[in-house]
Amino acid sequence: MTGQTTVRTAVRVHGRSAQRRALRAMLDALPAHGGRLLLAGEPGLGRTTLLQWAARSFRAGPVLHLGPGPDANAHLTAGQLLDTLRAAAVAAPALVCVDDAHRWDAPARTELARAARLLSTADRVGLLLSVASDRAVGPEFARLPVVHLDPLAPARAAALLDDLTDGVAAPAVREQLLAEAEGNPALLVALVRRLSPAELRGHRPLPSPLADAGVLAEAAGGVPTGPSAHARDLLLTVAAAGEASDGSDADADAGLVRDALRRLRPAPGHGPGLGPDPGLGPDPGLGPDPGAEPLPEQLVLAGDRLRFRSPL
């Protein structure tokens, strides 16, 4: 038993100076008037960290966290949500944080977005929402001002790695970790956590692959899934096509993907016993055919090419 490296959890926020300036401007303005911001970024890029930073930085009044849990916040109407937000700011300006707003069900997202639009500057409420951009961002949030998160620049990622490991990683190991993480902070943390102290210091070979399925799922917040067997097959087929093209973030020919799915699940009597026809139709989720399933939200179709919205 070699154990795992203990990763420091109390690390400072690396980079994100432009995003923090935007958040700070909203927080500083709250004593006079309200504001709204939407943080959008792929899983692992630090949306939650920035929300927590904003909550810690706000000193002018209460901080309220809303979520779609069993307390039924997600089942309130826009009017009820608006009353809740305004009530929080009766005595002092209030900051309201809604992390992972994309996880609310569709009716709840609609009511949340409507309440956000109805807030006035006189309400002295700062509404800060976050959504994952590895899927299509709901149209209900389209009118909100957006602050985007990109992968960390190489120097910032290197500083985060040194902060996580107290700088003890061997140079060759450090280089491999940074290349594998590609600027994703959560992936970098998961990679470091996976290594033993001996591996981190270069005394033992690194595991291969360095980012295995467990590490990637941890960084991504779970395994991508589809609403049906066809959607799961489609996600896997596009991923395999990307790997065959020498890169998981590469795109794939939609026609080839469609043919592969037909071979995987042929119509009854037309294949070598590979299972029943799942109702793919002539264009299974890859185009305008009204009988096709919708494209999984993790994928985007551009012309005749399919790709994932996020390389992670």
Side-chain angles (χ1 to χ4, degrees):
M1 295 291 292
T2 58
Q4 294 178 319
T5 297
T6 300
V7 179
R8 293 175 55 195
T9 55
V11 296
R12 57 190 174 90
V13 177
H14 291 268
R16 309 302 184 214
S17 57
Q19 291 83 1
R20 283 187 285 174
R21 281 196 299 270
L23 293 176
R24 173 57 69 187
M26 185 185 76
L27 298 181
D28 289 345
L30 280 183
H33 60 79
R36 300 163 297 167
L37 276 180
L38 180 70
L39 284 175
E42 296 176 4
L45 291 188
R47 291 176 289 110
T48 299
T49 298
L50 279 176
L51 256 69
Q52 293 171 344
W53 176 86
R56 292 194 305 269
S57 302
F58 186 62
R59 298 285 191 269
V63 177
L64 179 65
H65 296 271
L66 292 183
D71 56 0
N73 281 328
H75 301 290
L76 298 176
T77 66
Q80 291 170 323
L81 279 169
L82 198 59
D83 289 342
T84 298
L85 301 182
R86 286 171 173 163
V90 167
L95 176 65
V96 180
C97 298
V98 184
D99 201 8
D100 288 339
H102 58 278
R103 296 186 183 274
W104 292 40
D105 60 37
R109 289 198 308 269
T110 299
E111 297 301 316
L112 175 63
R114 185 175 300 154
R117 291 195 299 269
L118 291 173
L119 278 173
S120 70
T121 56
D123 287 319
R124 298 196 307 166
V125 174
L127 183 58
L128 183 56
L129 300 88
S130 84
V131 295
S133 59
D134 64 331
R135 64 201 72 204
V137 177
E140 60 271 12
F141 298 127
R143 299 181 185 179
L144 297 178
V146 181
V147 175
H148 292 282
L149 276 72
D150 297 314
L152 291 177
R156 299 297 186 183
L160 172 59
L161 177 58
D162 291 340
D163 210 3
L164 292 169
T165 63
D166 288 324
V168 302
V173 173
R174 190 171 180 271
E175 182 178 345
Q176 291 184 63
L177 288 171
L178 292 172
E180 189 74 14
E182 296 183 344
N184 187 297
L187 181 53
L188 188 58
V189 170
L191 288 169
V192 172
R193 182 181 291 118
R194 184 188 183 197
L195 300 183
S196 68
E199 291 168 335
L200 188 64
R201 290 172 170 79
H203 301 320
R204 295 188 60 184
L206 295 179
S208 181
L210 188 54
D212 63 3
V215 166
L216 291 173
E218 177 183 347
V223 178
T225 59
S228 67
H230 163 65
R232 291 189 292 273
D233 288 345
L234 179 55
L235 290 170
L236 183 58
T237 303
V238 175
E243 286 296 320
S245 300
D246 194 26
S248 60
D249 57 344
D251 58 7
D253 183 275
L256 293 178
V257 170
R258 186 182 299 116
D259 290 342
L261 289 173
R262 288 200 181 100
R263 290 175 180 271
L264 179 65
R265 293 177 177 271
H270 292 84
L274 295 181
D277 175 24
L280 299 182
D283 194 9
L286 305 183
D289 172 39
E293 291 188 23
L295 202 63
E297 59 183 2
Q298 296 92 350
L299 297 177
V300 61
L301 178 65
D304 62 350
R305 309 295 296 182
L306 272 170
R307 64 174 176 80
F308 280 88
R309 296 180 184 273
S310 164
L312 180 61

